[in-house]
Amino acid sequence: MKEKSIIKFENFSFRYDSANEFILKNINLEINKNELVILAGPTGCGKSTLLRSIIGLIPHMHGGEYKGRVIVDQLVVNDVKITDLAKKAGFVFQNPENQIFMFSIERDIVFGLENLGTSRTIMKERVDSILSLLKIEHLATKAPHELSDGEKQKAALAGILAMQPKILILDEPTSLLDPKTAIDFINIVNDLRKKIGMTIVIVEHRLDLVVGIADKLIILSNGKIIENNNPKQVLHYSNQLIPEIGIPVISRLYRNLAKSNYDFDNVIVTVKDMVKEMRRKKFND
Amino acid sequence: MVVKMYWISKGFIFTKVDSFVHKLDPRVKLLISIQFFTLALLVSDLIDLAIIFIGIILLASISKILSRLIRTMLFALLFSGIILGINIIAGYSFIYSLQIALRFVAIVCSTSIFFLITSPDELEYVLRWFRIPNDLVFAFVTAVRFVPIILLDALQIIDAQKSRGLELERGNPITRIKNFVPILVPLIVNEVIRSGELAEAMESRCYGVVKKPTVLYELQLNINDKLAIPFCTSIFILGLLFSI
């Protein structure tokens, strides 16, 4: 039978060498193919550790006490090299500056491919297709210091996409971007999912940017998963919502109105849905 | 002082310019730079040195980087003044001391001009062409790539510490050096953290999987390069003949 899940955590716990306590405690989690999953939680709750354990930086680069198993596209993370996992899952770090190595963006896009010894013809094809996919052809020959923060983030994403991973992991990709650029970047990610059909795991504090497009919202607190469900379900019905995750204004409005017996036909998590709902109500009244 | 350092440092950092020289193959640019360097080492006459300077200034003008080269010259002149003084104190004649000091400036300029007309990317290709091991090439490329970023980090830390009352330009020279400790400590911590993130990013992009990575482009001499090589070499040989 074909496996539905692409990332699987089985009783996974991890403690860094330098720490006394486990940062992640008995995590059991399945992420299915082509899902877009948001990972939220307060600072220091273990989000970045969870992401790093998907691409094998934990335990191969950061040592510590490792319990349980993490399986990524049928590879057990503990048993394979980071480079084997790099072909399955691509990681876009929070600060793009630290993952752009080369002086021209087109060279940086193929950095991973060069390291794999890919032929020049394939690299050229890949650069062209990624540049046009992200609509950044004009950045091809530019140097990293000539780019804006948003462009740097796109360039970092391009470098990851060139390796054609099945899973895309984004660690707070909008934290350095202004609101407009952040929205544009999230739209690009959503388009990618539609065009390429990737599994996307995204850590995001500005939930209002992503709840409308996500399949799952996972909330981590103190190293444990406290919520794992459809964003609408979590944001409306959960009694474990913690303020640190940055509950979207619309969700707070919806919850308050619903508490005051305002009759909604649907659960609302986005401004667009709220506008639709209000228009319908007005029309019906 | 810091602002002055930043201004001078720009004389060593490559910026893209649309010029005939910039479009040449990096190996040709290296050849031209080596030729100037060799001539600067060999000539001893003040007139010969003046001709070399004219050559360097002409090349910088054609490359549209004269203003940047002037910064390098000013930086080199600072040290050449010290060389001049030491030589005079040591009992050498003024003319001889001046020759030594100007030779130093010519050597610095001939090296600097190469870095001003060659992008770090091209530099990497040249290093690979010389079959330098990949790890060394990558270490060099990364170091050059992060120079402007570390400079900006330093400026940001300086601003932050100044806003908290740090006075860098106060006291005798030793105190002034000590004043830089509150800048250096956070800067080093920053860069150590950055290097950790870089290592993670390298691992996640398969660095080191193959011993000899492929590269996107191959160095190829075009017609301009093929014309520039004999032209520059013949001038170089003429210069050599005259200097001997």
Side-chain angles (χ1 to χ4, degrees), chain A residues 11-26 49 53 58-60 62-70 78:
Chain A
N11 305 317
F12 176 68
S13 301
F14 184 75
R15 180 180 64 79
Y16 286 105
D17 275 335
S18 54
N20 295 324
E21 275 188 42
F22 276 85
I23 180 106
L24 291 173
K25 297 157 193 164
N26 201 30
T49 306
S53 57
I58 288 171
H60 299 297
H62 302 286
E65 198 177 336
Y66 190 97
K67 289 180 185 171
R69 288 204 310 172
V70 181
N78 219 352

Side-chain angles (χ1 to χ4, degrees), chain A residues 62 98 100 108 118 120 141, chain B residues 16 194 197 200 205 214:
Chain A
H62 302 286
N98 295 345
I100 299 176
D108 192 73
T118 313
R120 205 163 278 148
T141 55
Chain B
K16 269 183 208 164
R194 188 189 295 281
E197 287 178 16
E200 283 188 334
R205 285 172 82 187
T214 43

